[in-house]
Amino acid sequence: ADPRAIPASPVRVLDLGDVGGGVNSVATSGGLVAIAVEAYTKTDPGSVVFYDAATLERVGAPVRVGALPDMLTFTPDGEYLLVANEG
């Protein structure tokens, strides 16, 4: 209700330039952050990149998915990540 009441905190910028051209979706589960990244050429396969939520360090290599990955969601048990591809 009052943006001034939000405590100041450092912001960390994640550089995904080595993976693709833009972020389309973000999902979190159990301390893991998943980010859907479209390819520089939108019709090419995109990627999902995983980060540790506490440290924002990458977890594993980017996972190739379909073109224009969007709408990430973890299953309720956090075992799987579903990706809807727009392309």
Side-chain angles (χ1 to χ4, degrees):
D2 181 4
R4 292 170 290 171
I6 298 171
S9 63
V11 174
R12 177 143 177 217
V13 176
L14 300 175
D15 182 2
L16 296 166
D18 64 317
V19 179
V23 173
N24 290 338
S25 183
V26 176
T28 62
S29 177
L32 197 60
V33 177
I35 302 175
V37 183
E38 67 183 51
Y40 285 108
T41 302
K42 292 184 177 189
T43 54
D44 288 348
S47 299
V48 174
V49 184
F50 294 92
Y51 286 88
D52 179 288
T55 64
L56 293 181
E57 296 296 323
R58 266 194 202 174
V59 177
V63 177
R64 298 293 282 192
V65 295
L68 292 173
D70 198 4
M71 190 51 214
L72 296 177
T73 188
F74 282 93
T75 56
D77 63 3
E79 186 73 21
Y80 299 96
L81 176 73
L82 306 175
V83 183
N85 298 308
E86 294 179 22

Coordinates of all heavy atoms in Angstrom, one line a residue:
A1 N 0.8 -1.2 0.0 CA 0.0 0.0 0.0 C 0.9 1.3 0.0 O 0.5 2.3 -0.6 CB -0.9 0.0 1.2
D2 N 2.0 1.2 0.7 CA 2.9 2.3 0.8 C 4.3 2.0 0.3 O 5.0 1.4 1.1 CB 2.9 2.9 2.2 CG 3.8 4.1 2.3 OD1 4.3 4.6 1.3 OD2 4.0 4.5 3.5
P3 N 4.7 2.3 -1.0 CA 6.0 1.9 -1.5 C 7.1 2.4 -0.6 O 8.2 1.8 -0.6 CB 6.0 2.5 -2.9 CG 4.6 2.7 -3.2 CD 3.9 3.0 -2.0
R4 N 6.9 3.5 0.1 CA 8.0 4.1 0.9 C 8.3 3.2 2.1 O 9.3 3.2 2.7 CB 7.6 5.5 1.4 CG 7.6 6.5 0.2 CD 7.0 7.8 0.6 NE 5.6 7.5 0.9 CZ 4.7 8.3 1.4 NH1 5.2 9.5 1.8 NH2 3.5 8.0 1.5
A5 N 7.4 2.3 2.4 CA 7.5 1.4 3.6 C 8.4 0.2 3.2 O 8.8 -0.6 4.1 CB 6.2 0.9 4.1
I6 N 8.7 0.0 2.0 CA 9.5 -1.2 1.6 C 11.0 -0.8 1.9 O 11.5 0.2 1.5 CB 9.4 -1.4 0.0 CG1 8.0 -1.8 -0.3 CG2 10.4 -2.5 -0.4 CD1 7.7 -1.8 -1.8
P7 N 11.6 -1.7 2.7 CA 13.0 -1.4 3.1 C 13.9 -1.4 1.9 O 13.7 -2.2 1.0 CB 13.3 -2.6 4.1 CG 12.3 -3.6 3.9 CD 11.1 -3.0 3.3
A8 N 14.9 -0.5 2.0 CA 15.9 -0.5 0.9 C 16.7 -1.7 1.0 O 17.1 -2.2 2.1 CB 16.7 0.8 1.1
S9 N 17.0 -2.3 -0.1 CA 17.8 -3.5 -0.2 C 18.6 -3.5 -1.5 O 18.2 -2.9 -2.5 CB 17.0 -4.8 -0.1 OG 16.2 -4.9 -1.2
P10 N 19.8 -4.1 -1.5 CA 20.5 -4.1 -2.8 C 19.8 -4.9 -3.8 O 19.1 -5.8 -3.6 CB 21.9 -4.8 -2.4 CG 21.6 -5.5 -1.1 CD 20.4 -4.8 -0.4
V11 N 20.0 -4.5 -5.1 CA 19.4 -5.1 -6.2 C 20.6 -5.8 -7.0 O 21.6 -5.2 -7.2 CB 18.7 -4.1 -7.1 CG1 18.2 -4.8 -8.4 CG2 17.6 -3.5 -6.4
R12 N 20.3 -7.0 -7.4 CA 21.4 -7.7 -8.1 C 20.8 -8.0 -9.6 O 19.7 -8.4 -9.8 CB 21.7 -9.1 -7.5 CG 22.7 -9.9 -8.3 CD 23.6 -10.6 -7.4 NE 24.5 -11.4 -8.3 CZ 24.9 -12.6 -8.1 NH1 24.5 -13.2 -6.9 NH2 25.7 -13.2 -8.9
V13 N 21.7 -7.6 -10.5 CA 21.3 -7.8 -11.9 C 22.0 -9.1 -12.4 O 23.2 -9.3 -12.2 CB 21.8 -6.6 -12.8 CG1 21.5 -6.8 -14.2 CG2 21.1 -5.3 -12.3
L14 N 21.1 -9.9 -13.0 CA 21.7 -11.2 -13.6 C 21.9 -11.0 -15.1 O 21.0 -10.6 -15.8 CB 20.7 -12.3 -13.3 CG 20.3 -12.6 -11.9 CD1 19.3 -13.7 -11.8 CD2 21.6 -13.1 -11.1
D15 N 23.1 -11.3 -15.5 CA 23.4 -11.1 -16.9 C 23.1 -12.5 -17.6 O 23.7 -13.5 -17.4 CB 24.9 -10.8 -17.1 CG 25.3 -10.6 -18.6 OD1 24.4 -10.7 -19.4 OD2 26.4 -10.3 -18.8
L16 N 22.1 -12.5 -18.5 CA 21.7 -13.6 -19.2 C 22.1 -13.5 -20.7 O 21.6 -14.3 -21.5 CB 20.2 -13.9 -19.1 CG 19.8 -14.2 -17.7 CD1 18.3 -14.1 -17.5 CD2 20.3 -15.6 -17.3
G17 N 23.0 -12.6 -21.0 CA 23.3 -12.3 -22.4 C 24.0 -13.5 -23.1 O 23.9 -13.7 -24.3
D18 N 24.6 -14.4 -22.3 CA 25.2 -15.6 -22.9 C 24.2 -16.7 -23.2 O 24.5 -17.6 -23.9 CB 26.3 -16.2 -21.9 CG 25.7 -16.7 -20.6 OD1 24.8 -16.0 -20.1 OD2 26.1 -17.7 -20.2
V19 N 23.0 -16.5 -22.8 CA 21.9 -17.5 -23.0 C 20.9 -17.1 -24.1 O 20.5 -17.9 -24.9 CB 21.2 -17.8 -21.7 CG1 20.1 -18.8 -21.9 CG2 22.1 -18.2 -20.6
G20 N 20.5 -15.8 -24.1 CA 19.5 -15.4 -25.0 C 19.2 -13.9 -25.0 O 19.9 -13.2 -24.4
G21 N 18.1 -13.6 -25.6 CA 17.7 -12.2 -25.8 C 16.8 -11.6 -24.9 O 16.7 -10.4 -24.9
G22 N 16.1 -12.3 -24.0 CA 15.2 -11.6 -23.1 C 14.5 -12.6 -22.2 O 14.3 -13.8 -22.6
V23 N 14.1 -12.2 -21.0 CA 13.4 -13.0 -20.1 C 11.9 -12.9 -20.3 O 11.3 -11.9 -20.4 CB 13.8 -12.6 -18.6 CG1 12.9 -13.3 -17.6 CG2 15.2 -12.8 -18.4
N24 N 11.2 -14.1 -20.3 CA 9.8 -14.2 -20.5 C 9.0 -14.6 -19.3 O 7.8 -14.3 -19.2 CB 9.5 -15.1 -21.7 CG 9.9 -14.5 -23.0 OD1 10.1 -13.3 -23.2 ND2 10.1 -15.4 -24.0
S25 N 9.7 -15.3 -18.4 CA 8.9 -15.8 -17.2 C 9.9 -16.2 -16.1 O 11.1 -16.5 -16.4 CB 8.1 -17.0 -17.6 OG 7.3 -17.5 -16.5
V26 N 9.4 -16.1 -14.9 CA 10.2 -16.5 -13.7 C 9.3 -17.3 -12.8 O 8.2 -17.0 -12.6 CB 10.8 -15.3 -13.0 CG1 11.5 -15.7 -11.7 CG2 11.7 -14.5 -13.9
A27 N 9.9 -18.4 -12.3 CA 9.1 -19.2 -11.3 C 10.1 -19.6 -10.2 O 11.3 -19.8 -10.4 CB 8.5 -20.5 -11.9
T28 N 9.6 -19.8 -9.0 CA 10.4 -20.3 -7.9 C 9.8 -21.5 -7.1 O 8.6 -21.6 -7.1 CB 10.6 -19.1 -6.8 OG1 9.3 -18.8 -6.3 CG2 11.3 -17.9 -7.5
S29 N 10.7 -22.3 -6.6 CA 10.2 -23.4 -5.8 C 11.4 -23.9 -4.9 O 12.4 -24.2 -5.5 CB 9.7 -24.5 -6.7 OG 9.3 -25.7 -5.9
G30 N 11.1 -24.1 -3.6 CA 12.1 -24.7 -2.8 C 13.5 -24.2 -2.9 O 14.5 -24.9 -2.9
G31 N 13.7 -22.9 -2.9 CA 15.0 -22.3 -3.0 C 15.6 -22.3 -4.4 O 16.8 -21.9 -4.5
L32 N 14.8 -22.6 -5.4 CA 15.3 -22.6 -6.8 C 14.5 -21.6 -7.6 O 13.3 -21.5 -7.5 CB 15.1 -24.0 -7.4 CG 15.9 -24.4 -8.6 CD1 17.4 -24.3 -8.4 CD2 15.5 -25.8 -9.1
V33 N 15.2 -20.8 -8.4 CA 14.6 -19.8 -9.3 C 14.8 -20.3 -10.8 O 16.0 -20.6 -11.1 CB 15.2 -18.4 -9.2 CG1 14.6 -17.4 -10.1 CG2 15.1 -18.0 -7.7
A34 N 13.8 -20.4 -11.5 CA 13.8 -20.8 -12.9 C 13.5 -19.6 -13.8 O 12.5 -18.9 -13.5 CB 12.9 -21.9 -13.3
I35 N 14.3 -19.3 -14.8 CA 14.1 -18.1 -15.7 C 14.0 -18.6 -17.1 O 14.9 -19.3 -17.6 CB 15.2 -17.1 -15.5 CG1 15.3 -16.7 -14.1 CG2 15.0 -15.9 -16.5 CD1 16.5 -15.7 -13.8
A36 N 12.9 -18.3 -17.8 CA 12.7 -18.6 -19.2 C 13.3 -17.5 -20.1 O 13.0 -16.3 -19.9 CB 11.2 -18.8 -19.6
V37 N 14.2 -17.9 -21.0 CA 15.0 -16.9 -21.8 C 14.8 -17.3 -23.3 O 15.0 -18.4 -23.7 CB 16.5 -16.9 -21.5 CG1 17.2 -15.9 -22.3 CG2 16.7 -16.8 -20.0
E38 N 14.3 -16.3 -24.0 CA 14.1 -16.5 -25.5 C 15.4 -16.4 -26.2 O 16.3 -15.7 -25.7 CB 13.1 -15.5 -26.1 CG 13.5 -14.1 -26.1 CD 12.5 -13.2 -26.6 OE1 11.3 -13.2 -26.1 OE2 12.8 -12.4 -27.5
A39 N 15.6 -17.0 -27.3 CA 16.8 -17.0 -28.1 C 16.9 -15.6 -28.8 O 15.9 -14.9 -28.9 CB 16.8 -18.1 -29.2
Y40 N 18.1 -15.2 -29.2 CA 18.2 -14.0 -29.9 C 17.4 -13.9 -31.2 O 16.8 -12.9 -31.5 CB 19.7 -13.7 -30.3 CG 20.5 -13.2 -29.0 CD1 21.4 -14.1 -28.4 CD2 20.3 -12.0 -28.5 CE1 22.1 -13.7 -27.3 CE2 20.9 -11.6 -27.4 CZ 21.9 -12.4 -26.8 OH 22.5 -12.0 -25.7
T41 N 17.3 -15.1 -31.9 CA 16.4 -15.2 -33.0 C 15.2 -15.9 -32.5 O 15.2 -17.1 -32.0 CB 17.0 -16.1 -34.2 OG1 18.2 -15.4 -34.6 CG2 16.1 -16.3 -35.3
K42 N 14.0 -15.2 -32.4 CA 12.9 -15.7 -31.7 C 12.4 -17.1 -32.1 O 11.7 -17.8 -31.3 CB 11.7 -14.7 -31.8 CG 12.0 -13.4 -31.0 CD 10.9 -12.5 -31.0 CE 11.2 -11.3 -30.2 NZ 10.0 -10.4 -30.0
T43 N 12.6 -17.5 -33.3 CA 12.2 -18.8 -33.8 C 13.1 -20.0 -33.4 O 12.8 -21.1 -33.6 CB 12.0 -18.8 -35.3 OG1 13.2 -18.4 -35.9 CG2 10.8 -17.9 -35.7
D44 N 14.3 -19.6 -32.9 CA 15.2 -20.6 -32.4 C 14.8 -21.1 -31.0 O 14.1 -20.4 -30.3 CB 16.6 -20.1 -32.3 CG 17.2 -19.8 -33.7 OD1 16.7 -20.3 -34.7 OD2 18.3 -19.2 -33.8
P45 N 15.3 -22.3 -30.6 CA 15.0 -22.8 -29.3 C 15.5 -21.8 -28.2 O 16.6 -21.3 -28.3 CB 15.8 -24.1 -29.2 CG 15.9 -24.6 -30.6 CD 16.1 -23.3 -31.4
G46 N 14.7 -21.7 -27.1 CA 15.1 -20.9 -26.0 C 15.7 -21.7 -24.9 O 16.1 -22.9 -25.2
S47 N 15.8 -21.2 -23.7 CA 16.5 -21.9 -22.6 C 15.8 -21.6 -21.3 O 15.1 -20.5 -21.2 CB 17.9 -21.5 -22.5 OG 18.7 -21.8 -23.6
V48 N 15.9 -22.5 -20.4 CA 15.6 -22.2 -19.0 C 16.8 -22.3 -18.2 O 17.6 -23.2 -18.3 CB 14.5 -23.2 -18.4 CG1 14.3 -23.0 -17.0 CG2 13.2 -23.1 -19.2
V49 N 17.1 -21.2 -17.4 CA 18.3 -21.1 -16.5 C 17.8 -21.2 -15.1 O 16.8 -20.6 -14.7 CB 19.0 -19.8 -16.8 CG1 20.3 -19.7 -16.0 CG2 19.3 -19.6 -18.3
F50 N 18.6 -22.0 -14.3 CA 18.2 -22.2 -12.9 C 19.2 -21.5 -12.0 O 20.4 -21.5 -12.3 CB 18.2 -23.6 -12.5 CG 17.1 -24.4 -13.2 CD1 17.3 -25.0 -14.5 CD2 15.8 -24.5 -12.6 CE1 16.3 -25.7 -15.1 CE2 14.8 -25.1 -13.3 CZ 15.0 -25.7 -14.5
Y51 N 18.7 -20.8 -10.9 CA 19.6 -20.1 -9.9 C 19.2 -20.6 -8.5 O 18.0 -20.9 -8.3 CB 19.4 -18.6 -10.0 CG 20.0 -18.0 -11.2 CD1 19.4 -17.9 -12.4 CD2 21.3 -17.5 -11.2 CE1 20.0 -17.3 -13.6 CE2 22.0 -17.0 -12.3 CZ 21.3 -16.9 -13.5 OH 21.9 -16.3 -14.6
D52 N 20.2 -20.6 -7.6 CA 19.9 -20.7 -6.2 C 19.3 -19.4 -5.7 O 19.9 -18.4 -5.9 CB 21.2 -21.0 -5.5 CG 21.1 -21.2 -4.0 OD1 20.8 -20.2 -3.3 OD2 21.2 -22.4 -3.6
A53 N 18.2 -19.5 -5.1 CA 17.5 -18.3 -4.6 C 18.2 -17.5 -3.6 O 18.1 -16.3 -3.5 CB 16.1 -18.6 -4.1
A54 N 19.0 -18.2 -2.7 CA 19.7 -17.5 -1.7 C 21.0 -16.8 -2.1 O 21.3 -15.7 -1.7 CB 20.1 -18.5 -0.6
T55 N 21.7 -17.4 -3.1 CA 22.9 -16.9 -3.5 C 22.9 -16.2 -4.9 O 23.8 -15.5 -5.3 CB 24.0 -17.9 -3.6 OG1 23.7 -18.9 -4.6 CG2 24.2 -18.6 -2.2
L56 N 21.8 -16.6 -5.7 CA 21.7 -16.2 -7.1 C 22.9 -16.7 -8.0 O 23.2 -16.0 -9.0 CB 21.5 -14.6 -7.2 CG 20.2 -14.1 -6.7 CD1 20.1 -12.6 -6.9 CD2 19.0 -14.8 -7.3
E57 N 23.4 -17.8 -7.6 CA 24.4 -18.5 -8.4 C 23.7 -19.4 -9.3 O 22.7 -20.1 -8.9 CB 25.4 -19.2 -7.5 CG 26.2 -18.3 -6.6 CD 27.2 -17.4 -7.4 OE1 27.7 -17.8 -8.4 OE2 27.3 -16.2 -6.9
R58 N 24.2 -19.6 -10.5 CA 23.6 -20.5 -11.5 C 23.8 -21.9 -11.0 O 24.8 -22.3 -10.4 CB 24.3 -20.4 -12.8 CG 23.6 -19.5 -13.8 CD 24.0 -19.7 -15.2 NE 23.7 -18.4 -15.9 CZ 24.1 -18.2 -17.1 NH1 24.8 -19.1 -17.8 NH2 23.7 -17.1 -17.7
V59 N 22.7 -22.7 -11.2 CA 22.7 -24.1 -10.9 C 22.7 -24.9 -12.2 O 21.7 -24.9 -12.9 CB 21.5 -24.5 -10.0 CG1 21.4 -26.0 -9.7 CG2 21.4 -23.6 -8.8
G60 N 23.8 -25.6 -12.5 CA 23.8 -26.4 -13.7 C 23.9 -25.5 -15.0 O 24.0 -24.3 -14.9
A61 N 23.8 -26.2 -16.1 CA 23.8 -25.5 -17.4 C 22.4 -25.1 -17.8 O 21.5 -25.8 -17.4 CB 24.5 -26.4 -18.5
P62 N 22.3 -24.1 -18.7 CA 20.9 -23.8 -19.2 C 20.4 -25.0 -19.9 O 21.1 -25.8 -20.6 CB 21.2 -22.6 -20.2 CG 22.5 -22.0 -19.7 CD 23.3 -23.2 -19.2
V63 N 19.0 -25.2 -19.8 CA 18.3 -26.3 -20.4 C 17.6 -25.7 -21.7 O 16.9 -24.8 -21.6 CB 17.3 -26.9 -19.5 CG1 16.5 -28.0 -20.1 CG2 18.0 -27.4 -18.2
R64 N 17.9 -26.4 -22.8 CA 17.3 -25.9 -24.1 C 15.8 -26.4 -24.1 O 15.5 -27.5 -23.8 CB 18.0 -26.5 -25.3 CG 19.5 -26.1 -25.4 CD 19.6 -24.7 -25.8 NE 19.4 -24.5 -27.2 CZ 19.6 -23.4 -27.8 NH1 20.2 -22.4 -27.2 NH2 19.4 -23.3 -29.1
V65 N 15.0 -25.5 -24.5 CA 13.5 -25.8 -24.7 C 13.0 -25.3 -26.0 O 13.8 -24.9 -26.8 CB 12.7 -25.1 -23.5 CG1 13.1 -25.8 -22.2 CG2 12.9 -23.6 -23.4
G66 N 11.8 -25.2 -26.2 CA 11.2 -24.7 -27.5 C 11.4 -23.2 -27.7 O 11.8 -22.5 -26.8
A67 N 10.9 -22.8 -28.8 CA 11.0 -21.4 -29.2 C 10.1 -20.5 -28.3 O 8.9 -20.9 -28.0 CB 10.6 -21.1 -30.6
L68 N 10.5 -19.4 -27.9 CA 9.8 -18.4 -27.0 C 9.2 -19.1 -25.8 O 8.0 -19.1 -25.6 CB 8.7 -17.8 -27.8 CG 9.2 -16.8 -28.9 CD1 8.0 -16.3 -29.8 CD2 9.9 -15.6 -28.3
P69 N 10.1 -19.6 -24.9 CA 9.6 -20.2 -23.7 C 8.9 -19.2 -22.8 O 9.4 -18.1 -22.7 CB 10.9 -20.8 -23.0 CG 12.0 -19.9 -23.5 CD 11.6 -19.6 -24.9
D70 N 7.8 -19.6 -22.3 CA 7.0 -18.7 -21.5 C 6.2 -19.5 -20.4 O 6.1 -20.7 -20.5 CB 6.1 -17.9 -22.4 CG 5.6 -16.6 -21.7 OD1 6.0 -16.3 -20.5 OD2 4.7 -15.9 -22.3
M71 N 5.7 -18.8 -19.5 CA 4.8 -19.4 -18.4 C 5.4 -20.6 -17.8 O 5.0 -21.7 -18.0 CB 3.4 -19.7 -19.1 CG 2.4 -20.1 -18.1 SD 2.2 -18.9 -16.8 CE 1.8 -20.0 -15.4
L72 N 6.5 -20.4 -17.0 CA 7.1 -21.4 -16.2 C 6.2 -21.7 -15.0 O 5.7 -20.7 -14.4 CB 8.5 -21.0 -15.8 CG 9.5 -20.8 -16.8 CD1 10.8 -20.3 -16.1 CD2 9.8 -22.0 -17.6
T73 N 6.1 -22.9 -14.6 CA 5.5 -23.3 -13.3 C 6.0 -24.6 -12.8 O 6.1 -25.5 -13.6 CB 3.9 -23.3 -13.4 OG1 3.4 -23.4 -12.1 CG2 3.4 -24.4 -14.3
F74 N 6.3 -24.6 -11.5 CA 6.7 -25.9 -10.9 C 5.5 -26.7 -10.5 O 4.5 -26.1 -10.2 CB 7.6 -25.6 -9.6 CG 9.0 -25.1 -9.9 CD1 9.3 -23.8 -10.0 CD2 10.0 -26.1 -10.0 CE1 10.6 -23.4 -10.3 CE2 11.3 -25.7 -10.3 CZ 11.6 -24.4 -10.4
T75 N 5.6 -28.0 -10.5 CA 4.6 -28.8 -10.0 C 4.5 -28.6 -8.5 O 5.5 -28.1 -7.9 CB 4.8 -30.3 -10.3 OG1 6.1 -30.7 -9.8 CG2 4.7 -30.6 -11.8
P76 N 3.4 -28.9 -7.8 CA 3.2 -28.6 -6.4 C 4.3 -29.2 -5.5 O 4.7 -28.6 -4.5 CB 1.9 -29.2 -6.0 CG 1.1 -29.0 -7.3 CD 2.1 -29.3 -8.4
D77 N 4.8 -30.4 -5.9 CA 5.9 -31.0 -5.1 C 7.3 -30.5 -5.5 O 8.3 -30.9 -4.9 CB 5.9 -32.5 -5.3 CG 6.1 -33.0 -6.7 OD1 6.4 -32.2 -7.6 OD2 6.0 -34.2 -6.9
G78 N 7.4 -29.6 -6.5 CA 8.7 -29.0 -6.9 C 9.6 -30.0 -7.7 O 10.7 -29.6 -8.0
E79 N 9.0 -31.1 -8.0 CA 9.8 -32.1 -8.7 C 10.0 -31.8 -10.2 O 11.1 -32.1 -10.8 CB 9.1 -33.5 -8.6 CG 9.9 -34.7 -9.1 CD 11.1 -35.1 -8.3 OE1 11.1 -34.7 -7.1 OE2 12.0 -35.7 -8.8
Y80 N 9.1 -31.2 -10.8 CA 9.1 -30.9 -12.3 C 8.8 -29.4 -12.5 O 8.1 -28.7 -11.8 CB 8.1 -31.7 -13.0 CG 8.3 -33.2 -12.9 CD1 7.6 -33.9 -12.0 CD2 9.3 -33.8 -13.7 CE1 7.8 -35.3 -11.8 CE2 9.5 -35.2 -13.6 CZ 8.7 -35.9 -12.7 OH 9.0 -37.3 -12.5
L81 N 9.4 -28.9 -13.6 CA 9.1 -27.6 -14.1 C 8.4 -27.7 -15.5 O 8.9 -28.4 -16.4 CB 10.4 -26.7 -14.3 CG 10.2 -25.3 -14.8 CD1 9.6 -24.4 -13.8 CD2 11.5 -24.8 -15.3
L82 N 7.3 -27.0 -15.6 CA 6.5 -27.1 -16.9 C 6.8 -25.8 -17.6 O 6.9 -24.7 -17.0 CB 5.0 -27.2 -16.6 CG 4.6 -28.4 -15.8 CD1 3.1 -28.3 -15.5 CD2 5.0 -29.7 -16.4
V83 N 7.0 -25.9 -18.9 CA 7.3 -24.7 -19.8 C 6.3 -24.7 -20.9 O 6.2 -25.6 -21.7 CB 8.8 -24.8 -20.3 CG1 9.1 -23.6 -21.1 CG2 9.8 -25.0 -19.2
A84 N 5.6 -23.6 -21.1 CA 4.8 -23.4 -22.3 C 5.6 -22.6 -23.3 O 6.2 -21.5 -23.0 CB 3.5 -22.6 -21.9
N85 N 5.7 -23.1 -24.5 CA 6.5 -22.5 -25.6 C 5.5 -21.8 -26.5 O 4.6 -22.4 -27.0 CB 7.3 -23.5 -26.3 CG 8.4 -24.1 -25.4 OD1 9.1 -23.4 -24.7 ND2 8.4 -25.4 -25.4
E86 N 5.7 -20.5 -26.8 CA 4.8 -19.8 -27.6 C 5.1 -20.0 -29.1 O 4.3 -19.7 -30.0 CB 5.0 -18.3 -27.4 CG 4.5 -17.9 -26.0 CD 4.6 -16.4 -25.8 OE1 4.7 -15.6 -26.7 OE2 4.6 -16.0 -24.6
G87 N 6.3 -20.4 -29.5 CA 6.7 -20.6 -30.9 C 6.3 -21.9 -31.5 O 5.9 -22.9 -30.8

